[in-house]
Amino acid sequence: MLSHTPSPLLSSPGAVAAESPDEGVAAHYGDPFREQRALADGRGFVDLSHRGVVAVTGPERLSWLHLLVTQHVSELPPGQATQALILSPHGHIEHALYLVDDGATTWMHVEPGTQEALISYLESMKFFYKVEVADRTADVAVVHLPAGSIAEVPDDVVVRETSYGRDLFLPRERLADFAAAHGPAAGVLAYEALRVEAHRPRVGRETDHRTIPHELGLIGVAVHLQKGCYRGQETVARVHNLGKPPRRLVFLHLDGSEVTLPGHGAPVRLAADGPEGRQLGFVTTSARHHELGPIALALVKRNVPVDAPLLVGEGTAASQEVVVEP
């Protein structure tokens, strides 16, 4: 269920609505490959206004968040982007937070529909700290500009800049005007294809109820190993010291002769064992890339040989590239 009205860009010519978990925005605007190429060239933007937006204010916001998340944020400079996780007591990933502080407010965007659960947890941990937590999804939209974009951003818009582009926290009422001035728009299919190509995991796609950060290569990216205690830290430290997470993220090149892509959860097996062999993992996200063809991310058991040919789903051949070392 959407926590806000669908994007006004869904009424754009050629717009086709996205399916779960990206309801509320466009999957594409008529030509996903053209949209991918535009993003890869640093042109256009992606409407991510379905993502949850949470704002934390108050003089103790950073020191308080530092106690709760996996990242070192107590001294986060204004304008510096970072990524953090909230883990379960057993160290399993519950939320991924894409953060930036503007000097007065810490802004974060999260997976669609998860902001209420996140806010509930944050509110339960406020205690005596001078902080306020607000759901800003209804009035702030996330818009992504790809790396290399020369689009000018108004001074009053909060920007989270990363190596793969800029995330804007744009007043939702200005989304249609922004689109008119900064097109062409690209749908989430194009954005997801480039995300898969870049091996960037997404909570809810590359995770299940028992995923730990080490399996996705998030140590150092979203998990700081030299900070104080936080929920789930014991698991993080133990697995880091032993060096043996049970699974690992892999990138797959899929057989291009197949008409359909394997869905989320499709089983992964050794090709040598055939389609009836023992399941050793599952597909997390698959996509059609404008240059690489069909590709996917998958979680497989740590001890699957890195050079072993694989079978996906009903028998789609796949070769793997290492994302997380075994």
Side-chain angles (χ1 to χ4, degrees):
M1 178 182 297
L2 287 175
S3 57
H4 57 85
T5 56
S7 171
L9 303 192
L10 281 175
S11 61
S12 302
V16 175
E19 299 178 351
S20 178
D22 293 319
E23 301 102 325
V25 296
H28 62 85
Y29 296 88
D31 191 341
F33 286 162
R34 177 187 58 78
E35 295 162 26
Q36 280 187 50
R37 288 190 288 269
L39 294 178
D41 291 340
R43 296 181 289 111
F45 71 94
V46 185
D47 175 12
L48 299 179
S49 61
H50 61 315
R51 291 186 64 82
V53 176
V54 177
V56 182
T57 56
E60 297 177 332
R61 66 190 181 281
L62 290 175
S63 58
W64 174 68
L65 283 169
H66 185 79
L67 299 173
L68 304 178
V69 303
T70 57
Q71 188 60 273
H72 197 298
V73 298
S74 61
E75 300 169 4
L76 185 67
Q80 180 175 309
T82 193
Q83 182 178 344
L85 306 174
I86 288 181
L87 305 179
S88 75
H90 298 293
H92 302 135
I93 298 173
E94 292 189 345
H95 297 279
L97 318 178
Y98 299 86
L99 297 139
V100 68
D101 193 271
D102 66 5
T105 301
T106 302
W107 295 88
M108 62 190 79
H109 64 81
V110 298
E111 286 299 315
T114 65
Q115 65 271 16
E116 291 184 4
L118 171 62
I119 290 172
S120 178
Y121 171 68
L122 294 177
E123 288 284 354
S124 73
M125 302 300 292
K126 282 173 61 172
F127 302 118
F128 53 83
Y129 288 93
K130 298 176 182 177
V131 296
E132 294 297 330
V133 182
D135 184 351
R136 298 295 302 276
T137 310
D139 63 299
V140 176
V142 179
V143 173
H144 176 76
L145 294 173
S149 170
I150 60 173
E152 294 186 3
V153 178
D155 292 338
D156 61 343
V157 173
V158 176
V159 178
R160 180 180 178 273
E161 186 163 4
T162 69
S163 61
Y164 55 89
R166 290 176 287 170
D167 295 336
L168 313 184
F169 291 85
L170 182 74
R172 191 172 288 273
E173 64 200 24
R174 290 156 61 179
L175 180 57
D177 290 340
F178 180 92
H182 295 86
V188 291
L189 285 182
Y191 181 83
E192 285 288 280
L194 298 181
R195 177 183 71 80
V196 172
E197 178 197 16
H199 307 166
R200 297 199 313 270
R202 178 180 176 185
V203 170
R205 303 301 291 176
E206 279 63 58
T207 63
D208 57 18
H209 66 283
R210 57 192 180 94
T211 305
I212 59 176
H214 317 68
E215 297 175 324
L216 303 184
L218 292 176
I219 302 300
V221 176
V223 179
H224 195 290
L225 293 174
Q226 308 301 323
K227 60 160 288 185
C229 294
Y230 53 86
R231 190 172 74 173
Q233 184 190 34
E234 295 82 1
T235 298
V236 169
R238 182 172 65 252
V239 176
H240 178 73
N241 291 330
L242 292 175
K244 294 183 178 180
R247 302 177 296 183
R248 59 185 179 88
L249 186 69
V250 297
F251 176 80
L252 300 179
H253 292 274
L254 304 174
D255 179 2
S257 65
E258 298 291 338
V259 175
T260 60
L261 290 171
H264 176 76
V268 175
R269 301 177 172 89
L270 291 176
D273 294 340
E276 302 303 321
R278 182 166 62 97
Q279 181 172 340
L280 300 175
F282 65 95
V283 170
T284 57
T285 307
S286 59
R288 295 192 187 278
H289 191 273
H290 69 286
E291 291 182 340
L292 301 177
I295 57 176
L297 293 173
L299 268 181
V300 300
K301 291 183 180 295
R302 177 178 54 85
N303 58 2
V304 172
V306 297
D307 57 350
L310 303 174
L311 286 181
V312 173
E314 298 300 318
T316 300
S319 60
Q320 56 176 312
E321 289 183 10
V322 174
V323 177
V324 175
E325 294 286 346

